[in-house]
Amino acid sequence: MTPLRAGIIAAVVTVVLDQASKLWLLNVFDIARHGAVKVTPFFDLVLAWNIGISFGWLQNDSQAAQFALMAVKVVAVVALAVWMARSHTLLATVALGLIIGGAIGNSIDRLAYGAVVDFALFHIDIGEKTYNWYVFNLADVAIVVGVAALLYDSFLGVPAAKAP
């Protein structure tokens, strides 16, 4: 299998898994009705509508702001796709596919709902205080894993090791 084909497969699988998980949680499980669902002592399923960018930054529900976010995302996905098409390592190409798939998955949410569907919440209780991580989804996981893999490939991958 060529690296490009693997990257495309990574992108498609990411979009499918992300959208399937969100559709199941919204329409079958009906997480809006259930509210927070404790899965483990440190992990809950919750429904959060993210109208901002990563980690809920730049929260703005105006149509102009949503359009601007979508435009930036389209430009980023096109740039990443060009990079993926030119990539020569399997790891970098799959990583770029994960990032592209995650961006497309969250963009589908913005088009369908006007916000990104987030549902995974990690937390820890220390004493009487609860510390929560940001609520996220599978698209976000794919983006983080893709970025980490790109960093690994750029610093420790075979081409990086051969660089002077």
Side-chain angles (χ1 to χ4, degrees), residues 10-158:
V12 170
V13 168
T14 298
V15 171
V16 168
L17 290 177
D18 174 66
Q19 289 300 299
S21 66
K22 292 170 183 175
L23 288 170
W24 183 83
L25 283 165
L26 289 172
N27 300 316
V28 177
F29 185 72
D30 195 9
I31 193 165
R33 186 175 54 81
H34 280 90
V37 176
K38 189 173 214 53
V39 178
T40 71
F42 57 87
F43 178 71
D44 297 344
L45 292 174
V46 299
L47 178 59
W49 296 99
N50 183 358
I51 56 173
I53 59 172
S54 297
F55 306 113
W57 296 340
L58 303 177
Q59 294 281 329
N60 191 329
D61 59 358
S62 76
Q63 289 234 338
Q66 292 299 318
F67 179 75
L69 285 174
M70 285 301 292
V72 167
K73 221 173 238 194
V74 166
V75 170
V77 167
V78 168
L80 290 168
V82 169
W83 183 6
M84 184 173 77
R86 295 179 178 173
S87 178
H88 298 293
T89 67
L90 179 63
L91 181 59
T93 308
V94 170
L96 289 162
L98 290 172
I99 297 168
I100 291 167
I104 291 171
N106 283 340
S107 294
I108 291 170
D109 291 2
R110 281 196 194 284
L111 291 171
Y113 311 113
V116 174
V117 179
D118 289 329
F119 58 84
L121 173 65
F122 283 103
H123 55 84
I124 186 169
D125 296 324
I126 299 176
E128 306 262 332
K129 183 122 172 107
T130 299
Y131 298 91
N132 294 315
W133 186 246
Y134 298 98
V135 183
F136 60 96
N137 58 46
L138 293 181
D140 299 332
V141 172
I143 292 168
V144 169
V145 169
V147 168
L150 273 179
L151 288 171
Y152 176 85
D153 188 65
S154 68
F155 290 119
L156 303 172
V158 175

